Amino acid sequence: MGLCRQIVLALLAAFLLAVPAAARADPMYWGALIKGDPYGLPGEAPTSAAVLDRFESDAGKRITIVNTGQSWAGFDPTTMDAAIEAGAIPLATMPLGPGISLQEVAEGKQDTEIRGWARAAKDFAYPFLFRPWWESNGNWYSWGQSPYFVAAWQRFHDLVVAEGATNVTWAWVVNTLWEKDGKVQDDPTPYYPGDAYVDWVGVDAYNWGRNPLQPDRWVSAEESIQPTLELLEEIAPGKPVCVCESASTEIGKGGPGEDKALWIHEMLDEYLPSRPRIKAYIWFNWNVEQGGYGSGGGHWDWPIESSPEAEAAFREGIQSDTFISVAPPLTPLTKVPVPPEPDSPPPSGAGPKPHDPVPQPSPSDPIGFGVPRPGARSGSAILTVAVPGPGQLRFSGRGLRIRVLPSRQLARTPFSKWMEDAGELKLEVRAAGTKLRTLAAKGSAKLALTVRFSPETGIAQTATKPVSVIAAG
């Protein structure tokens, strides 16, 4: 088994080296929830410098976002300040307090506590992501699937705004979709508070594998996130996405690809760089103790240090320019900015600096798509992409290949092309890899072509076009 793993990893490394260099992917914040237990240390990041230093040393790179908890209506300036001093944007995760219900929040019975929290958040001043009542589409938390969720969220939001805490960046985070008997069990749509009440959307997504603590099935990096990402794009189009909790177990059934190191390679090297909507990726680095699920007790193997192979895969993948190691300046009482574009590198220095203004580029016209039609080849489709002026086009998408007609050269994604002026490109998009297996099994497959246009002047535009392909008759 060990020899097979070495052979697979060696082949993967050779493949990655053989792929031509592509345009740099959209950048994203990266970080983790970092507990001291994997290292035998007390405390957690960011308040424990020793824990943070150990994680960053193992990863070989500085984080730019950190997931940290807050008790109900209890703003923790010590932890929040420690995050800023470490050069990281805080993601503040807040549950309900013991004995408190969303109905009480919705009915105004917690207004005094909420207003106090809001004033403390305003005094903190730095932008931060705020994740209250996460995974509301599940039933394992007291606020899960509550009919009062939307009303409680909106009341909380309005009270915070009324107190002037405009630095609170609201992150609505759902649990990844799962199916039972072919039906989705945890549709988050009824719990969306509305565009005016949400700044970012997010997902918590794990590969539970065959770990006996909660045996499930092995899911790929793409499978763990993509169905939920597609639904989030329907629910909240245009909102930046945070993968707020993500990790994989080491334990599969020994089938092809059931290997944590390979899972990490897929996530960091393939999946995330091809998803420009995702603006933050946060690993769950905690040997959390099993509680309330499964058949027995024990600790999960989520940390990157669960094996030398997993740690090496994470360290290698996170070095990509996709994952930025210096946060942009944070202007007081503004929202968390999306990461800077590839052609606008972040400033040098140890971390975010308040009071520095964030540059605001001028807008550009959107990308235009033609109606896809079936191609002559099995598993292919033809469509046009139109841009409003000169600039760089970048195409990406897992499980597809691209040909710019009339050329006969088929290109892997990500693939870039310079446009000299406004105009259209005619593309042939083909299924490849895992999508070909889907095509062979089901006769059809859905591809997602993501196009990014970076004009000579103005702001870059990104759009995703679903493309269905069928097997030729």
Side-chain angles (χ1 to χ4, degrees), residues 5 250 261 304-314:
R5 172 185 280 190
E250 293 273 0
I304 63 171
E305 298 90 353
S306 58
S307 68
E309 294 84 0
E311 181 179 339
F314 193 91

Side-chain angles (χ1 to χ4, degrees), residues 184-447:
V184 173
Q185 300 297 305
D186 55 352
D187 182 2
T189 307
Y191 310 106
Y192 183 57
D195 289 347
Y197 293 89
V198 172
D199 299 306
W200 289 51
V201 295
V203 57
D204 295 345
Y206 294 84
N207 172 31
W208 303 92
R210 294 291 180 173
N211 194 307
L213 291 175
Q214 189 176 329
D216 192 7
R217 64 185 182 92
W218 189 275
V219 296
S220 69
E222 178 178 12
E223 289 173 327
S224 72
I225 296 174
Q226 186 59 28
T228 312
L229 180 64
E230 291 175 359
L231 182 57
L232 290 175
E233 289 176 345
E234 294 177 9
I235 295 172
K239 300 287 186 184
V241 176
C242 173
V243 180
C244 294
E245 295 181 22
S246 175
S248 173
T249 181
E250 293 273 0
I251 304 172
K253 292 181 67 176
E258 294 190 6
D259 180 287
K260 183 172 180 176
L262 291 175
W263 193 94
I264 291 172
H265 272 299
E266 180 190 354
M267 180 66 77
L268 301 184
D269 299 328
E270 299 179 21
Y271 181 74
L272 292 174
S274 66
R275 296 298 182 273
R277 281 282 307 279
I278 298 176
K279 298 301 182 184
Y281 181 72
I282 304 174
W283 191 267
F284 193 82
N285 220 67
W286 181 12
N287 285 320
V288 63
E289 187 173 3
Q290 177 68 52
Y293 305 104
S295 58
H299 292 265
W300 280 91
D301 55 348
W302 299 133
I304 63 171
E305 298 90 353
S306 58
S307 68
E309 294 84 0
E311 181 179 339
F314 193 91
R315 184 183 181 94
E316 176 185 335
I318 210 67
Q319 304 313 310
S320 165
D321 288 340
T322 298
F323 309 102
I324 62 175
S325 58
V326 179
L330 300 180
T331 305
L333 297 180
T334 61
K335 303 294 185 181
V336 171
V338 296
E341 301 299 334
D343 53 357
S344 302
S348 60
K353 303 176 179 65
H355 311 302
D356 291 341
V358 179
Q360 299 295 324
S362 58
S364 296
D365 293 330
I367 301 162
F369 289 101
V371 177
R373 57 182 178 83
R377 293 177 175 267
S378 179
S380 70
I382 307 296
L383 77 158
T384 59
V385 176
V387 296
Q392 188 81 12
L393 267 174
R394 182 174 69 85
F395 303 94
S396 61
R398 181 165 170 78
L400 58 83
R401 300 289 184 266
I402 292 178
R403 183 162 64 100
V404 179
L405 300 173
S407 170
R408 296 188 176 185
Q409 183 175 1
L410 197 65
R412 296 180 181 272
T413 58
F415 168 75
S416 294
K417 182 174 179 59
W418 177 260
M419 298 290 289
E420 296 290 345
D421 206 345
E424 288 186 347
L425 286 181
K426 189 176 183 181
L427 304 177
E428 180 187 22
V429 180
R430 293 190 202 172
T434 57
K435 297 297 183 181
L436 281 177
R437 292 194 288 273
T438 301
L439 200 65
K442 298 183 177 181
S444 64
K446 180 180 287 187
L447 310 179

Side-chain angles (χ1 to χ4, degrees), residues 114-151:
I114 293 170
R115 287 185 183 277
W117 182 90
R119 288 191 290 270
K122 180 182 178 181
D123 290 342
F124 174 67
Y126 289 98
F128 65 96
L129 283 172
F130 180 48
R131 182 175 76 139
W133 317 327
W134 64 105
E135 301 176 12
S136 59
N137 54 324
N139 61 5
W140 42 87
Y141 293 122
S142 65
W143 55 85
Q145 300 178 353
S146 168
Y148 297 97
F149 182 87
V150 170

